[in-house]
């Protein structure tokens, strides 16, 4: 479970190029070698698409994989953090 402060949330959205509701919202900060955005909380890196999910839907359900259930993009753009995608 990721504990996000108001400051974390504000910093997260500052790194997003928000566009229309149906468009990709591109992560504008650091990315991994596969193009997924990275966001640091308490010195731990998280996928920015996963943080977007958490901010919109709440905690990601537990699963026996190392990161919980998969949070996939309908748009197939790894840099997208639009929760509608």
């Amino acid at each position: 479970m990721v504990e996000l402060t108001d400051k974390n949330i504000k910093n997260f959205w500052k790194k997003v190029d928000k566009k229309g509701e149906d468009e990709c919202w591109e992560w504008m900060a650091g990315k991994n070698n596969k193009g997924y955005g990275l966001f640091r909380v308490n010195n731990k890196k998280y996928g920015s698409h996963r943080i977007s999910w958490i901010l919109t839907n709440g905690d990601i359900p537990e699963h026996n994989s190392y990161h919980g259930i998969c949070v996939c993009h309908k748009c197939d753009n790894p840099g997208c953090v639009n929760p509608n995608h």
Side-chain angles (χ1 to χ4, degrees):
M1 184 163 114
V2 182
E3 304 250 350
L4 296 166
T5 65
D6 288 341
K7 183 178 179 181
N8 293 140
I9 296 167
K10 183 178 177 181
N11 286 336
F12 177 85
W13 290 117
K14 285 188 340 188
K15 299 172 188 312
V16 177
D17 183 14
K18 276 190 177 181
K19 296 187 178 174
E21 188 176 309
D22 295 326
E23 296 179 75
C24 287
W25 296 358
E26 196 68 32
W27 182 250
M28 303 303 293
K31 295 180 181 179
N32 69 15
N33 62 351
K34 294 183 180 181
Y36 288 91
L38 298 172
F39 185 68
R40 188 181 300 269
V41 178
N42 297 326
N43 291 321
K44 184 173 178 187
K45 291 179 186 176
Y46 296 91
S48 58
H49 63 294
R50 294 176 68 81
I51 298 296
S52 179
W53 168 274
I54 291 166
L55 292 173
T56 305
N57 301 297
D59 289 332
I60 297 172
E62 293 287 329
H63 188 268
N64 59 358
S65 68
Y66 77 96
H67 56 47
I69 65 167
C70 290
V71 176
C72 300
H73 302 90
K74 289 190 279 186
C75 62
D76 251 356
N77 175 3
C80 179
V81 297
N82 183 340
N84 292 326
H85 288 192

